[in-house]
Amino acid sequence: YIRAETAIALENVGSLKLLTIATSFIAILLSIIATFILSAIITKPINELKESANKIMDGNLNAAVTIHSQDEVGELGIIFNTMTKRLQESFIETSRYRGHLEELVSERTTELKKEIAERQQAEAALAESEMKFRAFFDHASDGILIVDPSTRPYVAGNRMISKMLGYSLQE
């Protein structure tokens, strides 16, 4: 009887060992599966944040994340979307301001072109007046001597004053 019971007990121990190994294997397999599922659940919002950040770096300011969790990652998603919206508003405002500056530059350029044209006309008129004066001054039949009234040195004289006084123009 003891031998029979021992044989049955050994059989049961073998079955229990097999059951323990199978249960352990199933528990490890379930743990691995649970780890992958939890990892995917946890990393999905973080990956979405990363992808949106990359889109923004590439210039797409319409990128937004759709994280609906109530944890820190959800709060981070809200902060990220707020930051993106502020960047969009800032970019729009900067574009408007740049347009305004371009208008101002265009207006000022037009004004400067007008001023340059007026100055060129004035310089041409001055050059013509100088040429007429110089011709009149050099060929006048009267002697002309120009003196600086504050310091009294001679500034210029024509050929006729040179003949009248008996000095060369250089003297």
Side-chain angles (χ1 to χ4, degrees):
Y1 174 78
I2 292 180
R3 283 188 194 161
E5 287 296 319
T6 304
I8 293 172
L10 287 175
E11 226 178 86
N12 286 339
V13 169
S15 295
L16 287 175
K17 282 183 183 178
L18 186 61
L19 183 62
T20 303
I21 291 172
T23 305
S24 297
F25 180 74
I26 290 171
I28 291 172
L29 187 63
L30 287 176
S31 297
I32 291 171
I33 291 171
T35 301
F36 280 121
I37 291 172
L38 287 175
S39 176
I41 290 171
I42 292 171
T43 60
K44 181 182 176 191
I46 294 171
N47 284 333
E48 187 175 342
L49 282 170
K50 183 179 89 174
E51 289 171 13
S52 294
N54 283 330
K55 287 177 184 176
I56 289 173
M57 281 185 0
D58 291 338
N60 180 4
L61 294 179
N62 293 320
V65 293
T66 54
I67 300 171
H68 301 293
S69 63
Q70 300 297 322
D71 58 1
E72 291 84 4
V73 175
E75 289 178 26
L76 186 60
I78 292 169
I79 292 169
F80 185 87
N81 288 337
T82 302
M83 179 185 67
T84 302
K85 184 162 180 63
R86 287 184 183 167
L87 279 173
Q88 286 173 333
E89 292 168 357
S90 176
F91 183 76
I92 290 169
E93 185 63 30
T94 301
S95 294
R96 284 187 196 138
Y97 189 67
R98 186 180 69 215
H100 175 69
L101 287 177
E102 287 174 358
E103 287 177 15
L104 291 175
V105 167
S106 177
E107 289 173 8
R108 185 63 182 141
T109 301
T110 301
E111 290 172 6
L112 287 173
K113 286 179 181 178
K114 183 179 176 183
E115 288 177 19
I116 289 170
E118 290 172 356
R119 177 173 278 205
Q120 288 173 338
Q121 288 175 347
E123 287 175 356
L126 183 62
E128 183 180 343
S129 175
E130 172 69 21
M131 190 174 67
K132 287 179 184 177
F133 169 77
R134 183 56 56 192
F136 171 76
F137 183 78
D138 288 341
H139 301 299
S141 56
D142 293 328
I144 301 173
L145 183 63
I146 300 175
V147 177
D148 184 347
S150 61
T151 59
R152 299 198 179 243
Y154 300 112
V155 176
N158 67 355
R159 280 184 271 156
M160 188 54 72
I161 195 72
S162 177
K163 282 183 187 178
M164 290 171 66
L165 297 176
Y167 291 102
S168 71
L169 287 175
Q170 288 77 18
E171 290 176 313

